[in-house]
Structure formats: structure tokens, C-alpha cells
Amino acid sequence: MSQAIEPKAGILEIAPYVGGGCHAPDVVELSMNENPNGPPESAREALRKTAHLLHRYPPSDHRDLRAAIGAVHRLDPDRIVCGAGSDELISMLCTAYTGPGAEVIHTEHGFAMYRISALAAGATPVQVAEHERKVDVDAILDACNFRTRLVFLANPANPTGTMIGANEVGRLAADLPEHVLLVLDGAYAEYIEGYDGGAKLVDKRENVVMTRTFSKIYGLGGLRVGWAYGPAHVIDVLNRVRGPFNLGLAQLEAAEAAVQDRDFVERSRIENARLRGWMADALAELGVLSDTSCANFVLARFDSIDEAIACQDRLRADGVLVKRVAGYGLPHCLRITVGDEASCRRVVHCIAGLKAEPG
Ligand SMILES: Cc1ncc(COP(=O)(O)O)c(C=O)c1O
């Protein structure tokens, strides 16, 4: 590497994100929190229809997708901005609101991209302790100072699957210093019946923005589409830093079809809740406990780090990929996506086999 050419401060502190992900047909992929059923047929059909337009630049205002999201969620489309996954929105928020000397708060087991995006923007990530794998609002408030610019809060959280209540989130928003923007990451919001991801709080306040994704319940992780809803001043700022063609036509059309397929979302939510409950209970009977998950995965806690590793190895040997979350401060845990019924049974069967072996 050249000694003379150096990236700006912070970049070399970034540990590159390690994704899992394997698409081999004989592998059961339960490490990426994807919808095991894939996207709705309506989205596949919309995608196919874009094939003859690949030579055309896509629309840069995302008007139709924003209108569809707005109609479904009863939100003002002018206060929606779309990105290449919510990852891009997280990055845009850090670019726009932080930089050298600024602090970005994320919680102890919070999603890895908060730290990465803060460092990439030249800011300082600040990790705040959680309480028993749950976000602690008072600890966040205590960590705020004149340098703090952003607070990232995933609700439900990844990889814990836990959630804090609307009152707590409202208290956090109300008590933050006035120069701090609260980012409510609702990547898993659709998995909770009747939950708006924090949209009503956004409407009430000038210091809250919500991010959402098409990668989870909509089964479109491969396309990269997310969106944010916020006060007009935040949306205006994000549109200034956003690349004009950050979403391709295929992304826009497929997401627009998917968001309108409410039956698909409802079916996916119900099926996820059923299998999540079944898997968590079956694991608990084997002595593998988990917090009540509000998302599409279960964070399984093992007796030791060695047992977690042995279990991941055993599952892998059986063709099942799950996620180790040692990098999230949870070395004795595995995050297991709720797959289809056969996959959930396979996970439990495999762990039961390991547990039955003499120790
Ligand atoms: C909490 C949380 N936020 C954001 C994302 C990013 O999702 P995407 O960039 O695919 O929209 C994820 C993905 O796993 C996540 O778990």
C-alpha cells in the first residue's frame, strides 16, 4: 500500500462488514433475515416488465414509489426519500449530519452499519450499554453531549429482536438535546401487527426520522430498496446528498408493486409469528433460551461460546447457515432467521441432536 496516499481519519478503523449469504440450492440460508418465501409474485412480474427499458435512465424523483408508500402507510409522499436499501439512508444521514468532531450514538448490540457509516463520515461512533439485550433510554440520554448529532435506534432491534415501547421512544425523542436527530430504524416494523414504525412520532416532532426497508418482509433484499420518512427539513437535506439515480427502474417498479401487496405482507407476518413462536419454544425445551423476538429471527443463547460455535458448525454440516453475532457483543449466541416450516424443524432437530450427545 502507498504510504503517501491515505484515506481520511476513521476509514481504517472500519472493520469491513462481513455478510453471510449463500444461494446454493442445497443450503438453507438462515443467516440474513430474508423472507423464506421470496418476494410477492406481483413484484416479480413488475420486475420482468422493466427488462426492455434497461437502456433508459430511471426517474430520479421516485415519485410513483413514494406515492405508493404514502398511500399504503397514509404518509405525505413529499416527506419520503428512497435509497438503495436502508443502508444507503443510514449512510446519507451520517454524511449529511455528522463529520469530524461529531458523535453518533448506537447501542451496545446495535446494527453494524451505524458504526461503519459514522466512521465513513469522519464522525466518532459512541456505543451505549443496553440492559439485558434491551435498549436503555436513560443510558442514551446520559451519553448525549454537545458533540452528539445522531442517535440510531432499531426498534425492533437486530440482532437481539427486542423492542422498547412507544412511550419510551417518545420520551427519548422529547428529552434529547435539540441539536440531536433520532433515527428510528424500522427494518423489521412490518413483523408487528399494527405497528407504524414510529411514523406518528415523526409527524409530531422535528427531530425524528424513520427508516424502512424492502429487504425483509417484502423479500427484496437482492434489489436494494429502502425509504425514510421525516420532517420536511430532514428530507430536503437527504435529497441534496442523494445521488440522482440511486435507484434503478427495476428496483422502483418491483418495490412499488410489493408495497401494494398487503395480502402478501399479512400472510408473511402471520406465518413468521407462528414459526418464530414454535422455534423459540422448541429451542427453550432444549435449554436454549431467547428473548421474545419481535422480528423474523430468534437470538438463541447457548450455555457457552464453545457450545454456540459447535452448534453453528453442526448446522453448517447439515447445510443450514445461521449467524454468529460475536461481533455484536453476543459471542454465546446465534441469530437464526425464521425460515419455512421445514427449515425451522431442521434447526431444532439438529440442535436437539447436539444437545443429546454426552457432554
Ligand atoms: C436493523 C437493520 N437496519 C437496516 C438494515 C439494512 O437493510 P437494507 O439495507 O437491506 O434495507 C438491516 C439489515 O439487516 C437491519 O437489520
Side-chain angles (χ1 to χ4, degrees), residues 31-70:
S31 74
M32 297 292 283
N33 300 343
E34 297 156 341
N35 185 330
N37 302 313
E41 185 47 42
S42 53
R44 295 178 205 256
E45 181 57 25
L47 182 72
R48 279 193 286 271
K49 286 190 184 150
T50 64
H52 68 289
L53 282 170
L54 293 183
H55 58 304
R56 300 282 183 210
Y57 272 83
S60 61
D61 61 10
H62 309 156
R63 183 188 301 266
D64 293 348
L65 175 56
R66 289 187 296 106
I69 294 169

Side-chain angles (χ1 to χ4, degrees), residues 119-130:
L119 285 169
T124 305
V126 174
Q127 179 173 308
V128 170
E130 298 188 13

